[in-house]
Amino acid sequence: MVLSLYGVPMSICVKRVAVILKEKEIPFTFVQIDRRKGEHKTPEYLEKQPFGQIPYINDDGFVLYESRAIARYLAAKYPSKGPALLPTDPTANALFEQAASVEQSNFDPSASGIVAEKVLKKFFHGLDADEAKVAELTKTLGGKLDAYETILSKQKYVAGNEITLADLFHLPYASMVQGVNPEVFSSRPHVSKWLEGLQARPSWVAVKDGVQ
């Protein structure tokens, strides 16, 4: 049975999973959920994803949700497909988990906040961004990216010199923030080089405009 990914084509979290599937060269079927019709709140959907969020996967009867958990599962189940992405050596794995924690706790809050204000607020509600809030979030993100600049001046990727899930986790929000404020990345040369390299990977090129 081919793995199925359930979600919305342009969803940030769906892309986070899809880029891993592409990196690992794992065949999958994409099942589109119509969020406008409330399909993610139906009893059938909630049986699989009790929070009514996207995405989730069904891998031959094994159902899993939360994009980062899905990514870890895929990398662990298919270690020999594509790049490893999830180190097994204890030291390398600790550095990966450190970088993954940094992405979720330091990068994601301000990056997702900027996207919520500058993109999603208009798309879903027809409202303008709170520019004072955007400025505050951008300042916070800039401070975090200054630390990234230091890290990436010493190594190629956020967990060392090999690409891991932690790098790829950044792609959806980083690309959207770059779209509304390119300078926040371009003003930091090592961060900019790192992001450009990730964005050039065939896996991201395949899903950046929507999962199919």
Side-chain angles (χ1 to χ4, degrees):
M1 179 179 175
V2 176
L3 181 148
S4 296
L5 170 63
Y6 292 75
V8 176
M10 291 301 293
S11 161
I12 290 160
C13 293
V14 169
K15 289 182 185 181
R16 187 178 287 129
V17 172
V19 74
I20 306 305
L21 287 164
K22 293 290 186 179
E23 280 282 338
K24 300 297 288 181
E25 301 175 358
I26 302 168
F28 71 98
T29 298
F30 181 62
V31 181
Q32 186 166 341
I33 299 300
D34 193 333
R35 195 159 44 187
R36 291 170 300 180
K37 293 182 178 179
E39 289 183 356
H40 59 308
K41 300 297 184 182
T42 62
E44 293 80 11
Y45 190 92
L46 291 171
E47 184 179 348
K48 303 293 193 300
Q49 216 297 5
F51 296 96
Q53 298 167 342
I54 55 174
Y56 76 83
I57 62 166
N58 187 326
D59 186 17
D60 197 19
F62 175 62
V63 173
L64 188 66
Y65 51 87
E66 289 297 316
S67 61
R68 293 174 182 85
I70 295 169
R72 283 176 167 86
Y73 164 74
L74 295 172
K77 182 173 181 180
Y78 301 99
S80 62
K81 282 181 170 285
L85 300 181
L86 186 64
T88 55
D89 171 78
T91 300
N93 184 259
L95 292 171
F96 156 72
E97 289 295 352
Q98 174 180 261
S101 179
V102 166
E103 182 274 329
Q104 192 162 13
S105 61
N106 285 281
F107 176 81
D108 186 272
S110 48
S112 63
I114 292 168
V115 170
E117 284 293 328
K118 295 292 287 184
V119 180
L120 304 182
K121 201 171 182 180
K122 174 69 75 173
F123 182 81
F124 287 111
H125 307 293
L127 300 174
D128 293 329
D130 180 338
E131 293 298 342
K133 185 174 183 180
V134 172
E136 181 181 351
L137 288 164
T138 302
K139 182 179 179 180
T140 300
L141 179 60
K144 304 299 185 182
L145 291 178
D146 287 341
Y148 275 69
E149 182 70 7
T150 299
I151 293 167
L152 292 167
S153 71
K154 302 173 183 176
Q155 57 196 45
K156 188 173 181 180
Y157 296 108
V158 293
N161 288 316
E162 299 294 332
I163 191 169
T164 67
L165 295 174
D167 298 285
L168 299 171
F169 286 168
H170 290 79
L171 270 167
Y173 274 126
S175 297
M176 293 186 78
V177 172
Q178 185 184 48
V180 299
N181 186 352
E183 195 270 341
V184 75
F185 294 103
S186 64
S187 62
R188 297 166 173 88
H190 293 98
V191 173
S192 181
K193 181 180 179 181
W194 165 74
L195 181 58
E196 287 173 3
L198 295 177
Q199 290 172 327
R201 296 181 75 86
S203 59
W204 178 247
V205 173
V207 305
K208 67 184 180 67
D209 295 323
V211 181
Q212 298 179 0

